[in-house]
Amino acid sequence: MRSINMSIKLKDIIVESFLKGEGRLDFGRTKKTWLKEADRVISWFEKYYGGNKDDRPPGCEDILNESAEMILKIRDEFMYNIIAGLRVMAKDKYINLMKIMHLLRYMNHKYSFGFDMSVFQYMKWKDKEERLLMILKYLHSGHRNRDEIAEEFGISRRTIDEDIATLKDGFEFLGTTMTVKEEDDKTTYTSPVHPIFLALNSAEIYAMTVGLKLISKGTIFEHALNRVADHVYQQLSDFAEDMIDSLPESSETGYGNEQVQYMNSFELMMQFDSPFCQFLKERKPCRVTYQQDGEKRSIIGILGLSEDAVDRFKKVVVYTEDGELSLNVKDILRLDKI
């Protein structure tokens, strides 16, 4: 078994990664091109490793001549300085990140460095639009302040200030306007929206428009799935719209001409009398007003899915301290938060 040469210098590992590393074909097809890309990565370390050249930590200028053995000893510091370098880049950040990640994957594979590649999860954006969408997804997981967002995305405070301003005003993408929520302290933000944009073939378009509207009719999912279908329809090309509109079953559905705006769970709950999905996902007590034997009645409990094999999604179960009550969707007049 061949021993691993841990005395090899970083600049030689960089060249080796582009000549031998898995994934090198992403950067070209010839040895000449690979060597050119390796030189560019070496130049990146000379210019950006540790942050701005004028104020980066001592020793950063010698990193290319450090051995694999030494870098392994300062592995966390090495990663920190790479991230610092990416953060100060004003342009071409994405392509340089891809090259750096290629190098780190090779170092993991060949020299068992064990670098955690997930730290770059939110840095892999190509332009401002993609970054804004990723920020929305990131903020969907919880409250974050501006410094935390800037650090996670590898951007400056000035850039995140501009991004937050855009998201507060409303960011429009593919016909949908999305915003972030500023908390009462005026320093932290969260996102009620999780943007999902699908690349669909014609069969999937049919299923996500006509199919969703037809199968959800009269069920607990009708309001929510109708809005999903409307969002998909709004993003269609003229050709795809004509395809959907020409189908005979489209006469049973409708999409309207008004732009479908993003609506958070609370707004959705306020718009409809019976927002089943909202209460099903929350699993919190609510007041259920229903009709039985010609009389209006109400009960307080937690909404759950029916286990009835027949028309399962046209029924709900209300769980109370005294037991449970199965109700048909058509008999429920409204649901209210308590």
Side-chain angles (χ1 to χ4, degrees), residues 21 46 68 86 89 102 105 111 124-125 134 150 166 213 235 265 273 280 284 299 327:
E46 291 173 339
L86 290 167
M89 294 191 71
H102 169 73
R105 289 192 189 100
Y111 298 98
K124 294 186 286 186
W125 41 266
M134 291 175 70
T166 299
K213 284 185 174 281
Q235 296 177 37
S265 296
D273 290 334
L280 284 167
K284 293 181 179 179
I299 187 173
L327 294 171

Side-chain angles (χ1 to χ4, degrees), residues 186-317:
K186 304 295 183 182
T187 63
T188 57
Y189 304 87
T190 186
S191 168
V193 60
H194 191 295
I196 299 175
F197 301 96
L198 306 173
L200 304 175
N201 59 40
S202 57
E204 291 165 338
I205 289 172
Y206 175 77
M208 292 292 287
T209 52
V210 176
L212 284 183
K213 284 185 174 281
L214 292 179
I215 65 174
S216 66
K217 189 175 293 186
T219 74
I220 54 179
F221 300 111
E222 183 171 5
H223 296 318
L225 290 183
N226 262 279
R227 285 184 56 80
V228 172
D230 289 340
H231 276 296
V232 173
Y233 184 85
Q234 192 177 78
Q235 296 177 37
L236 297 182
S237 65
D238 291 341
F239 172 79
E241 278 190 20
D242 290 341
M243 177 192 73
I244 295 300
D245 293 342
S246 66
L247 297 169
E249 52 268 40
S250 290
S251 61
E252 301 178 52
T253 62
Y255 302 93
N257 296 318
E258 294 184 5
Q259 182 175 355
V260 180
Q261 296 292 328
Y262 167 75
M263 187 181 298
N264 64 39
S265 296
F266 177 75
E267 292 169 332
L268 186 67
M269 182 174 65
M270 296 302 293
Q271 178 163 330
F272 300 107
D273 290 334
S274 303
F276 292 104
C277 286
Q278 172 67 14
F279 290 104
L280 284 167
K281 78 177 182 67
E282 282 195 344
R283 290 295 195 269
K284 293 181 179 179
C286 64
R287 183 183 300 278
V288 182
T289 304
Y290 62 99
Q291 186 170 300
Q292 189 176 64
D293 300 328
E295 295 182 6
K296 184 188 289 187
R297 303 183 182 185
S298 67
I299 187 173
I300 294 176
I302 296 175
L303 225 59
L305 290 172
S306 171
E307 296 183 0
D308 191 338
V310 180
D311 293 333
R312 182 184 182 192
F313 302 122
K314 293 186 178 182
K315 298 178 181 179
V316 291
V317 178

Side-chain angles (χ1 to χ4, degrees), residues 150-172:
E151 182 176 353
E152 197 73 29
F153 283 79
I155 53 181
S156 67
R157 180 57 187 261
R158 178 180 177 180
T159 299
I160 193 57
D161 286 346
E162 293 173 352
D163 286 354
I164 291 295
T166 299
L167 291 170
K168 285 172 63 179
D169 290 340
F171 168 54
E172 184 174 334

Side-chain angles (χ1 to χ4, degrees), residues 123-160:
M123 292 188 184
K124 294 186 286 186
W125 41 266
K126 300 182 183 70
D127 51 37
K128 182 176 180 178
E129 281 193 340
E130 186 172 4
R131 184 174 70 244
L132 291 174
L133 290 171
M134 291 175 70
I135 290 174
L136 285 167
K137 290 184 178 182
Y138 174 64
L139 292 178
H140 191 72
S141 63
H143 303 80
R144 300 289 187 275
N145 62 41
R146 296 188 182 214
D147 289 337
E148 289 172 322
I149 303 169
E151 182 176 353
E152 197 73 29
F153 283 79
I155 53 181
S156 67
R157 180 57 187 261
R158 178 180 177 180
T159 299
I160 193 57

